[in-house]
Amino acid sequence: MLRKLYDWTMDKAAHRHAVWWLAFFCFVEASFFPIPPHPLLGLMCLAEPKKAIRFALVATLASVAGALLGYAIGWGLYDTVGVRLIGALGLTDSFPVAACHLRKYDFEAILIAGATPVPFKLLTITAGFVGMNLVSFVLSSLFARALIFVTVGVLFRVFGAPIKRVIDKYLGLVTTAFVVLLVGGVLVLTTLSGSSSDKSDPCAAATTVNAGG
């Protein structure tokens, strides 16, 4: 079923309203849709490299708007809607760990989730559930989504179709490495500053509890 859903999503790259479909998929993926929009963005940029940056900006803004929907679900509808979404996406065991990391790292956790293969929808719903500062949430979501989507757009605009193979193979590694370098120092400093007063790691404890069932 997921394969059929993926194929249906990718077919929209050739639709006459492809830009609107891209916005729609980026919006829903940030809160509940299981298919990532990155391949659709890549196909559209491949077909029209001169419009690649425009496509990337649409993807970025729509994804941030969708992130706000995920936040709203976690904030006001978690018990009725959010818990069912998390379960349907197979992320039930990951939720308490995500909540712990969001409480601990805030901005950095959203940045990592938004620019790496970590399910972004998990963090958007969880951010609402834990009551993350909304301004911090929006800024981190905007930066993270722009990092990955605009990178794709710029590469296609500058290098054209030949860059597709490189993007398919290395984009995830490059954006992940960039995020690690960007926030790694902050996380290390945070950990070191808290180590003298708190020897235990509640996030590690949450991971252990979930791993043990």
Side-chain angles (χ1 to χ4, degrees):
M1 189 172 84
L2 279 176
R3 182 65 196 184
K4 290 181 179 179
L5 188 60
Y6 176 86
D7 291 340
W8 176 74
T9 302
M10 295 307 105
D11 285 343
K12 298 302 181 288
H15 196 278
R16 62 192 182 96
H17 297 307
V19 175
W20 289 105
W21 279 110
L22 175 65
F24 171 75
F25 287 124
C26 288
F27 178 85
V28 296
E29 186 273 338
S31 53
F32 63 86
F33 194 64
I35 306 300
H38 310 74
L40 177 60
L41 173 62
L43 288 176
M44 292 174 60
C45 292
L46 180 64
E48 297 184 89
K50 291 184 178 180
K51 296 182 179 179
I53 295 178
R54 174 191 168 194
F55 295 153
L57 292 175
V58 168
T60 299
L61 295 177
S63 186
V64 174
L68 287 170
L69 173 60
Y71 185 99
I73 291 171
W75 180 75
L77 299 171
Y78 182 78
D79 291 337
T80 56
V81 178
V83 69
R84 290 180 174 83
L85 279 178
I86 293 293
L89 293 167
L91 298 171
T92 301
D93 290 342
S94 302
F95 179 79
V97 181
C100 184
H101 283 296
L102 266 173
R103 290 188 178 104
K104 187 175 182 180
Y105 298 120
D106 197 70
F107 185 98
E108 293 85 353
I110 295 295
L111 180 60
I112 291 171
T116 64
V118 176
F120 189 46
K121 59 189 70 63
L122 170 64
L123 270 293
T124 63
I125 295 173
T126 309
F129 179 81
V130 303
M132 179 180 175
N133 179 272
L134 190 57
V135 174
S136 179
F137 173 76
V138 171
L139 291 177
S140 57
S141 298
L142 182 62
F143 189 91
R145 297 276 88 177
L147 175 62
I148 191 165
F149 291 139
V150 175
T151 296
V152 171
V154 169
L155 288 174
F156 268 106
R157 183 65 181 86
V158 174
F159 297 104
I163 200 65
K164 182 179 185 299
R165 181 176 297 180
V166 176
I167 289 175
D168 290 344
K169 190 172 183 179
Y170 297 112
L171 179 65
L173 292 175
V174 171
T175 54
T176 299
F178 180 81
V179 170
V180 168
L181 290 174
L182 183 66
V183 305
V186 176
L187 299 183
V188 168
L189 289 174
T190 302
T191 302
L192 291 176
S193 64
S195 62
S196 59
S197 59
D198 184 5
K199 298 297 183 181
S200 62
D201 185 350
C203 296
T207 304
T208 302
V209 169
N210 281 279

